[in-house]
Amino acid sequence: MWRISISADLINQITTDDFNEFINKVIQNRKDQIENSKSSTGMYFYLWFDIMTSQLRFNLISEINKKLPFSCEIQILNDPKEIIDDFLESPFHNGLPIGGYNDDSEDKEYIVKVFKLHLKKN
């Protein structure tokens, strides 16, 4: 798993398009690695924003494992930009407040937005 953190000072200097371009390069690199590997299986690339750590995270798992390793409910997105926007717009890049975080919603179910892409072996 890879994790990206950014300071609140730098947050205004980086755009969604900057991160999206980086993610697309990572995906292309992994596609190339999969294609050139001796393995006969592909991978799933997935990206999410971890609000508790203020980190943009991504990982790969074998296509044999169709279920992503989250223990909460997830919402699969077809485009990573919404996740990147959530990361860049987070108010917690310098950490969570000492008193914790409360969004004043009772019984709100937490749903993690995940961009998932199947990188097939041709």
Side-chain angles (χ1 to χ4, degrees):
M1 178 182 63
W2 292 267
R3 300 175 284 260
I4 300 172
S5 298
I6 191 167
S7 71
D9 296 334
L10 291 176
I11 205 72
N12 294 324
Q13 299 176 32
I14 297 177
T15 67
T16 299
D17 289 338
D18 293 331
F19 268 107
N20 196 50
E21 182 179 340
F22 168 74
I23 294 300
N24 285 326
K25 286 181 180 180
V26 169
I27 290 169
Q28 186 58 54
N29 176 271
R30 296 303 180 235
K31 282 180 180 179
D32 294 344
Q33 287 180 346
I34 291 167
E35 199 56 43
N36 294 322
S37 76
K38 293 179 181 178
S39 174
S40 62
T41 60
M43 305 284 287
Y44 283 106
F45 172 90
Y46 58 105
L47 170 87
W48 72 101
F49 170 51
D50 184 330
I51 192 169
M52 297 300 289
T53 62
S54 288
Q55 293 176 336
L56 189 63
R57 295 180 171 197
F58 59 94
N59 202 1
L60 288 132
I61 58 171
S62 169
E63 69 183 6
I64 295 168
N65 303 307
K66 295 183 190 289
K67 185 177 181 331
L68 297 179
F70 292 94
S71 60
C72 62
E73 185 175 343
I74 63 173
Q75 175 187 3
I76 301 294
L77 303 179
N78 295 321
D79 189 333
K81 287 184 179 181
E82 184 176 343
I83 296 165
I84 295 168
D85 285 342
D86 288 348
F87 169 64
L88 292 175
E89 294 168 5
S90 171
F92 305 120
H93 289 286
N94 286 333
L96 291 173
I98 290 174
Y101 171 68
N102 184 353
D103 69 359
D104 296 327
S105 298
E106 290 195 29
D107 299 324
K108 182 177 180 181
E109 208 173 306
Y110 187 68
I111 300 171
V112 175
K113 297 175 189 173
V114 179
F115 169 68
K116 179 181 175 184
L117 183 64
H118 190 189
L119 308 178
K120 298 176 183 176
K121 174 83 174 192
N122 291 328

